[in-house]
Amino acid sequence: MFTIYSDAGNVGGPGKGHRLIDSTFKRTLVLVSSGGAILLLLLGAWYWVSNGGAGLLGGPKSTGRALIGGPFTLTDHEGKTVTDADFRGQHLLVYFGYTFCPDVCPLELQSVTEALEQLGPKADGIVPIFITVDPERDTVPVMADYAENFHPRMRGLTGTLEEVKVATRAYRVYFKKGDSAEVDEDYLMDHTSLLYFMGPEGDYLTHFTFGTPPDEIAKRILKHLG
Ligand code: NI
């Protein structure tokens, strides 16, 4: 079951500063807390169907390939080309978002930071990966600045829009540029907010929905590490 979490919405425009952040965040809480579950279920169902989810339930695919994850080629925050294969042998925490995200992305990445800190040395083999859905603004230097805020091991990945689309399709992530921005640079992005935990063979292990507390993330990761 997948749910979409849209953190962007239709608030936009220049110069609104914290008011924008506050109102977006409040709407976040309202969405999540009151009746949000139903909405999320509906969105999830829509997303499932619109992404060929029915095919996953017994379509022609019979290769045994993981349903989440897959090949991608992107550029890391040091400007190096990386593919999914470069991460074999390591567990990954994969999150898609964008650095201009006012609340959801930084909150979720902060949870990643805290979960990894709680795990301590047990997390040494886990690489947190942040893949932008906004490559237009999230250039290599922007990603470098951003990723280092959260974890020394965090890899910030960007690329061309087409490369990013390949990665989002592999992870079944929805994203869309907000269409309400009055000033172009101020646009927001709608995007799925799920944190994926991937195994050393690139295999999907589990995912965490937005707002999962860091200690629960840590606990569930630990279970998978055995
Ligand atoms: Ni976000």
Side-chain angles (χ1 to χ4, degrees), residues 7 95 97-98 101 104-105 191:
D7 63 291
Y95 185 76
Y98 67 113
C101 184
V104 170
C105 292
H191 67 93

Side-chain angles (χ1 to χ4, degrees), residues 19 46 75 97 147 160 207 216:
R19 226 159 59 86
W46 164 79
T75 303
T160 65
H207 71 271
E216 187 177 329

Side-chain angles (χ1 to χ4, degrees), residues 115 118-119 208 213-224:
Q118 284 183 25
L119 287 166
F208 305 94
D215 52 343
E216 187 177 329
I217 295 175
K219 205 166 71 185
R220 283 174 51 198
I221 284 177
L222 209 51
K223 238 189 261 175
H224 281 281

Side-chain angles (χ1 to χ4, degrees), residues 132-139 158-161 177 184 187 189:
T132 184
V133 294
D134 184 20
E136 202 178 312
R137 289 180 299 187
D138 286 341
T139 58
T158 184
T160 65
L161 183 59
K177 190 170 171 176
D184 218 16
Y187 62 86
M189 304 288 293

Side-chain angles (χ1 to χ4, degrees), residues 5-8 95-106 130 133 146 189-193:
Y5 180 73
S6 158
D7 63 291
Y95 185 76
F96 289 81
Y98 67 113
T99 68
F100 282 70
C101 184
D103 40 46
V104 170
C105 292
F130 176 60
V133 294
Y146 196 73
M189 304 288 293
D190 288 318
H191 67 93
T192 308
S193 181

Side-chain angles (χ1 to χ4, degrees), residues 91-173:
H91 284 82
L92 306 179
L93 275 172
V94 181
Y95 185 76
F96 289 81
Y98 67 113
T99 68
F100 282 70
C101 184
D103 40 46
V104 170
C105 292
L107 285 173
E108 196 61 19
L109 292 173
Q110 184 60 35
S111 295
V112 170
T113 308
E114 288 174 28
L116 292 176
E117 277 171 4
Q118 284 183 25
L119 287 166
K122 288 175 194 145
D124 282 352
I126 302 174
V127 182
I129 293 182
F130 176 60
I131 303 178
T132 184
V133 294
D134 184 20
E136 202 178 312
R137 289 180 299 187
D138 286 341
T139 58
V140 166
V142 170
M143 292 298 275
D145 278 352
Y146 196 73
E148 76 174 15
N149 288 325
F150 292 100
H151 199 275
R153 275 202 307 280
M154 184 171 286
R155 306 282 291 276
L157 307 187
T158 184
T160 65
L161 183 59
E162 209 35 60
E163 288 169 338
V164 165
K165 280 183 180 168
V166 169
T168 58
R169 279 195 287 264
Y171 282 83
R172 302 183 185 275
V173 162

